Structure formats: C-alpha cells, structure tokens
Amino acid sequence: MSPARPPTRDAVVPLTLAGPRPRLPRGKPPRHLADLDLAGRRAAVADLGEPSFRAVQLSKHFFGRYTEHPDDMTDLPRTSRAALAGALLPALLTAERELSCDDGTTRKTLWRAFDGALVESVLMRYPDRVTMCVSSQAGCGMACPFCATGQAGLTRNLSTAEIVAQVVAGARLLADGQIPDVPRRVSNDPPKPPRVSNVVFMGMGEPLANYANVIAAVRRLTDPVPEGMGISQRSVTVSTVGLVPAIGKLAAEGLSVTLAVSLHAPDDELRDTLVPVNRRWQVAEVLDTAWDYAAVTGRRVSIEYALIKDINDQAWRADLLGSLLAGRLAHVNLIPLNPTPGSQWTASRPAAQREFVRRLESHGVPVTVRDTRGREIDGACGQLAASARPAPPASARPSAVSPAVDPSAPSPAPAAPPASARPS
Ligand code: SAH
C-alpha cells in the first residue's frame, strides 16, 4: 500500500529521490476546526444542529486558551460540549516522547498521528521570545544527503490542523508553566506572560511541497483569535529547498512571512549533490525568484548555508556566494553542520568558518552564524528523524555541547566560532 496520500501537484519533483516509505493505513486525518476558516467552522457547527456562534466559542477555547477538553468549556451548554468537541476538536497528535535540554528551555516532542505517522516539533525559549520549529510533512522527499529527515523519504503531508496543533501544544506547555523562564541579563522590563512568538517551518518536511496545508496553517497561526492564534506574520519563517513555482505563489499570497532558502552551495555543480532538487531548479533561478519575493513583500530573504568541512566552506565559494548576494535584500544564516547518523561530513573548522564570514562581509552581505540549540536531543537542524527508539543519554553522545537552532533571530556572527562548531 502506498502512503496515505498521493503526491500533490505542488510536490512536483523529488518524491522518488528518497528511500523506502513506511507503510501506513490510508485515510485523511480527522477533520479539526483548525482545518477550517471561521465560516467553515460556523457551517460545521450548524450541521450539528447548534447555533453558529458556538464556532467562535470553540475557536476561543482552542486558539486562545489551548484547550480541547469539553469540561473546560463552561460557556457551552453541558449537553452540547462533548458533541461539539468530539466533532471539531479530535485529538490529532499524541505525544510519544518528550526530550529536553538547555535546562528545560529547549523541548523536543515526538508526535504520533492517527495513522502512526511520526513527526517532531521543537520549542525553544529565550529571554525575549519563544520559537516553535514545526514539521510540515512526516518525513521528507527532498533527499538532501546531510539531513537526517531526508534519509527516510516522505511518508505523507501533514494536514493544516496537524501543523497548527504542534504550535498550540507548545503554547499550552508555556501557559501551564512547564517551560522554565530564561532570566534576562540586563533588562528592567517587566516579564511578559510566555507565549509562542515565532514559528519556523524548519522541522521535518519541505513546507512548499505541502503548499495548501502550509499556507492555511500560516493563516490559522497568524489570524487574530478567534480565527487563529494571533502570532505576527513577520515572526513566521517558511524555509524551502527552492521550489521555484511555489515560491512565486507564496509571493502572491499577501503574507509578510520571512522566506528562508536552503542554498548550501553557490554553484550548481555542488548544489546538485547537496540539494538534489537543484537539478530541476538551479541556483540562478532560485535566487531570482527569491529576489522577486523580497521585492513583492519587502521582506529580507534568509539564505541558509550549512557549513560542511571541505565540502562547501572554501574561500572561493564564500566569494561566489558574496557576489551572488551583494546588494540584495538578503541575509546569510550559516549553520555549523549538525551531526547526523551515518554521515561522514562534519562542521567546518573554526578558521574556515571565520574566513567564510569575513569574505561574505567583505561583499557587504549581512551574515550571522546560527546558534543551534537542541543538538544533544537530536533536535537541531537536520537532525529530526522521528524514530520512536529511545535516545541515548546526552552524556553518552559525542556532540553534547552548547546547542541551539533558532533561525528566527540568529546571534550576530561571533568573532570566534561557537563552541558547537569546535571539533571535539
Ligand atoms: N525542507 C525545508 C525545511 C527544513 S529546514 C528546507 O530545507 O529548507 C531545516 C534546515 O536545516 C534547512 O536549511 C536544512 O538544509 C538544514 N539542515 C539539514 N540538515 C542539516 C544538518 N545536518 N546540519 C545543519 N543544518 C541542516
């Protein structure tokens, strides 16, 4: 049996590039109110014989109070609560395993969906913000050889509500006081109640290969309560390997989300290997489309570049990248390569990383080195593989050094590379 759904038209190319796909029962995830806009929720409530304003009440419970439990919905008649919650707030994701690091401020959750599909999300709390890194697909069909998610192939697209549910679950953890506060170093500001402030589509999957569900999820996340969760569009980042037609469509959505392009090489010869979809849409075309996106939205494009020792970290590649990006509305996020099972590649040497930064800066290109949280729980970029196997204790792992994956507000490029990039 093939996976739950056939590839969509958006998932044009490389669904066949990656390896075997796990077998799952067919069928769609149960319908949830987060799959519907408010008009759709009103219609669904009316179909149940309830007054349509109940859609707003249910939506406030889910998007504003993060609850799905009928008992919490005291503004609904007792007799209707279970039927309404049962029809519109089915449990979509069950937490299979939770792993924390950074004193509890980084939390990875492995979720099991209705059909057994496994996905992961990562919450990262900082003094001034909370970022949720979410999955848009179970697995990924893009087959980038340095990324753990790409190794297992695509299982299926997540539904809109399955994507939104990851963020709501993070918001609930925060609201329940389960994620410790991170003390501010120098600030007299009163502490703000914790809420998810940023969402990055940088978990498992290629968001633009699940276009319709991802766009609907962005709308649910950013529309104000009761339509959605009320997160700022500017605080949402959609990351892509470079699916050119879908980037063009995204530019026309009228959203002000940040586009991140996982470039990883400035030349087609190497990028064909690192990001196999490059054989379909090459560097020049991907970047031209990214500049169109920047022109339409006014948003600076983030160019993601995992620095891999002796593979893509040569000075000439830094110069070539610098010349491609000079004068553009772009910013480079260098990611010291995170280790993935079975890969012979490692992060660049500190001196190579420093030189790469220096050369980009000499072209006037803004560059930061990403702080990559979550490494010791395999929660950092490219490490999400969603296996239900128990992880070895952090102390037993070679890379248990200062972690972090927050692309939403990268730290300024340090004069010295972060500890995570130092060879152990
Ligand atoms: N498919 C989308 C969304 C995934 S985002 C995309 O590729 O953009 C995950 C980010 O982490 C991407 O920039 C990806 O290229 C990067 N990444 C993958 N594996 C990595 C690794 N081992 N070390 C560092 N970054 C990695």
Side-chain angles (χ1 to χ4, degrees):
M1 201 195 297
S2 63
R5 286 194 209 160
T8 62
R9 260 195 330 127
D10 299 312
V12 205
V13 193
L15 297 176
T16 50
L17 290 172
R21 304 169 193 178
R23 283 161 183 264
L24 294 174
R26 272 178 201 276
K28 283 190 175 189
R31 182 191 64 174
H32 186 282
L33 68 75
D35 289 315
L36 307 169
D37 61 14
L38 198 51
R41 290 172 224 163
R42 285 204 170 95
V45 164
D47 284 348
L48 294 167
E50 293 282 340
S52 61
F53 64 82
R54 300 258 181 261
V56 171
Q57 292 176 302
L58 282 173
S59 301
K60 284 184 181 163
H61 285 298
F62 184 69
F63 288 117
R65 299 181 58 220
Y66 321 126
T67 185
E68 298 160 332
H69 284 294
D71 295 349
D72 296 334
M73 304 180 185
T74 51
D75 56 338
L76 298 177
R78 205 177 284 278
T79 46
S80 320
R81 283 180 210 166
L84 283 167
L88 283 164
L89 293 167
L92 296 174
L93 300 175
T94 311
E96 181 88 2
R97 195 174 68 212
E98 306 245 26
L99 292 167
S100 298
C101 62
D102 306 315
D103 299 323
T105 60
T106 300
R107 165 95 70 126
K108 179 171 92 164
T109 308
L110 171 67
W111 300 103
R112 182 178 292 275
F114 83 103
D115 56 355
L118 296 169
V119 293
E120 291 174 319
S121 60
V122 184
L123 179 152
M124 291 157 277
R125 183 167 184 179
Y126 298 90
D128 56 341
R129 67 186 191 284
V130 179
T131 298
M132 281 294 306
C133 177
V134 296
S135 296
S136 54
Q137 298 180 311
C140 185
M142 299 296 130
C144 304
F146 56 94
C147 175
T149 309
Q151 304 318 300
L154 177 70
T155 301
R156 69 167 169 87
N157 283 337
L158 297 189
S159 67
T160 298
E162 285 174 321
I163 298 168
V164 172
Q166 298 168 56
V167 182
V168 169
R172 189 183 297 132
L173 284 175
L174 284 165
D176 289 351
Q178 293 198 45
I179 307 294
D181 197 1
V182 185
R184 285 153 197 262
R185 278 192 208 107
V186 193
S187 169
N188 296 322
D189 300 347
K192 289 192 203 132
R195 48 186 290 276
V196 175
S197 53
N198 297 68
V199 176
V200 297
F201 283 81
M202 293 193 173
M204 298 173 71
E206 165 53 40
L208 296 187
N210 182 14
Y211 189 86
N213 292 347
V214 165
I215 296 304
V218 170
R219 295 199 186 282
R220 292 302 110 72
L221 295 173
T222 59
D223 284 347
V225 179
E227 280 88 348
M229 278 184 87
I231 295 170
S232 153
Q233 286 182 4
R234 292 167 169 260
S235 306
V236 173
T237 298
V238 174
S239 185
T240 178
V241 288
L243 304 187
V244 162
I247 298 173
K249 261 166 92 180
L250 182 64
E253 295 285 348
L255 292 165
S256 21
V257 298
T258 299
L259 174 72
V261 173
S262 294
L263 199 67
H264 304 309
D267 54 305
D268 289 314
E269 193 183 350
L270 178 58
R271 195 167 191 265
D272 280 351
T273 319
L274 295 182
V275 184
V277 75
N278 195 68
R279 292 177 216 147
R280 173 75 180 264
W281 293 292
Q282 303 207 313
V283 172
E285 203 184 348
V286 171
L287 290 180
D288 277 350
T289 312
W291 310 145
D292 290 346
Y293 184 87
V296 170
T297 61
R299 307 285 300 152
R300 193 165 74 157
V301 174
S302 183
I303 302 293
E304 309 297 303
Y305 200 105
L307 275 176
I308 313 175
K309 184 179 154 201
D310 299 335
I311 301 289
N312 66 353
D313 64 353
Q314 301 84 355
W316 72 266
R317 282 203 162 91
D319 283 332
L320 179 55
L321 182 63
S323 65
L324 292 176
L325 306 187
R328 301 295 186 173
L329 198 54
H331 162 270
V332 176
N333 230 331
L334 294 175
I335 319 167
L337 187 81
N338 290 310
T340 56
S343 169
Q344 72 281 30
W345 289 334
T346 58
S348 298
R349 292 183 194 89
Q353 180 177 308
R354 273 196 302 273
E355 183 61 10
F356 209 92
V357 169
R358 195 189 66 74
R359 290 196 180 231
L360 286 173
E361 284 174 341
S362 75
H363 286 83
V365 174
V367 52
T368 50
V369 176
R370 192 190 292 177
D371 188 25
T372 68
R373 272 210 198 181
R375 272 190 173 191
E376 71 263 47
I377 53 172
D378 284 346
C381 304
Q383 293 184 309
L384 301 181
S387 110
R389 274 179 285 111
S395 58
R397 305 189 58 108
S399 60
V401 275
S402 108
V405 198
D406 188 9
S408 60
S411 55
S420 53
R422 277 176 218 138
S424 38

